[in-house]
Amino acid sequence: MTSPRSRAVPAALAVIAVAAAGCLPAPATVEARRTADLYTIFVAAAAVVAVIVIGLTLFAIVRYRRRGDDELPPQVHGSNRLEVAWTAIPLLTIVALFALTLGVLSVFDQAKGAAAGAELRVTAFRWGWRFEYPGQGVVLEGVREPGPEAYVPVGETVHVTLTGNDVVHAFFVPRFLFKQDAIPGRENTFAFTVEEPGTYRGQCAEFCGVYHSGMPFTIVAVPRAEYDAWLATHRGPATSPGASP
């Protein structure tokens, strides 16, 4: 039969992991949900390591503290079992976390290979964004606040081709738990699938100059019928909701 204290330790670790994971933005995409699950596992593993290290340190300080005499405590000169244990356990933990990380990264790679419900070409420039819908005749531009609003269909994979026009920028939507650099002369590709309708604010996340903080954009996820209607009403010359600094 386990003691209340032995049952309390795992419960405390679980609470710590859940509380720390709760500091993340709520995941809004299929890929973000897998990333959030991975973060939770990492935090739980870190909590276990912290409890072991801090617990053993406090135990050694209290148990083997000086007791008023100069007599040395029993000296231990090595233990093969202990050395194997404290080498193998961290090594296996790192290998397991590495394998889980590769599994989550493969989810992002698989998303790029899935059939596209929508395609976006995104160009970052100082100090705004340009969203193009290839083959649809829709182009959006926004400079500084409030930035452009790009619509995407809910529950369908959105393929994005990202580049920069002048310096390095970064496409970042907090609730997507994902950031991708926009590099001049280079095209980066990624994909995401928004799970629920909503408005998701994004921001340039790479310092790019004096107006870096004024480069927002918004991803609006809507049902397919509403998305198609939006495309139909926005075909034509590029719209630019923002003003030049």
Side-chain angles (χ1 to χ4, degrees):
M1 183 176 179
T2 58
S3 66
R5 179 175 296 180
S6 64
R7 292 194 300 269
V9 172
L13 292 176
V15 169
I16 292 172
V18 172
C23 296
L24 293 172
T29 67
V30 173
E31 299 75 23
R33 192 168 299 282
R34 290 294 301 274
T35 302
D37 292 341
L38 181 65
Y39 284 171
T40 301
I41 293 172
F42 266 76
V43 171
V48 171
V49 171
V51 169
I52 293 174
V53 172
I54 295 174
L56 290 177
T57 302
L58 293 176
F59 171 78
I61 291 173
V62 174
R63 175 66 178 80
Y64 299 106
R65 68 189 184 279
R66 186 170 182 178
R67 301 180 182 277
D69 54 43
D70 294 327
E71 183 180 352
L72 291 175
Q75 302 298 294
V76 177
H77 297 285
S79 169
N80 290 337
R81 290 182 178 180
L82 282 176
E83 291 173 5
V84 169
W86 68 48
T87 301
I89 292 175
L91 181 61
L92 292 175
T93 300
I94 292 172
V95 169
L97 293 176
F98 181 71
L100 291 172
T101 301
L102 288 180
V104 173
L105 290 176
S106 71
V107 172
F108 286 87
D109 290 335
Q110 292 168 9
K112 291 193 292 185
E119 293 188 8
L120 277 175
R121 180 176 179 83
V122 182
T123 303
F125 57 90
R126 295 186 295 186
W127 314 95
W129 300 88
R130 179 182 177 91
F131 289 82
E132 302 175 60
Y133 292 76
Q136 300 295 336
V138 176
V139 180
L140 305 173
E141 281 189 1
V143 179
R144 302 191 69 188
E145 293 285 354
E149 286 190 349
Y151 277 59
V152 299
V154 170
E156 300 182 36
T157 303
V158 179
H159 288 195
V160 181
T161 301
L162 177 67
T163 189
N165 196 41
D166 35 45
V167 299
V168 176
H169 303 273
F171 180 100
F172 176 56
V173 179
R175 291 192 59 186
F176 290 5
L177 300 183
F178 177 82
K179 181 177 82 74
Q180 181 70 65
D181 284 346
I183 303 173
R186 175 174 176 177
E187 292 185 347
N188 288 326
T189 59
F190 61 95
F192 59 85
T193 304
V194 182
E195 294 184 308
E196 297 180 359
T199 300
Y200 305 98
R201 293 281 288 174
Q203 170 68 38
C204 177
E206 190 81 29
F207 182 71
C208 54
V210 66
Y211 291 108
H212 160 69
S213 62
M215 283 186 61
F217 62 90
T218 303
I219 301 296
V220 182
V222 296
R224 164 55 72 171
E226 187 175 343
Y227 170 72
D228 289 339
W230 179 86
L231 284 178
T233 59
H234 284 76
R235 289 189 174 96
T239 59
S240 180
S244 177

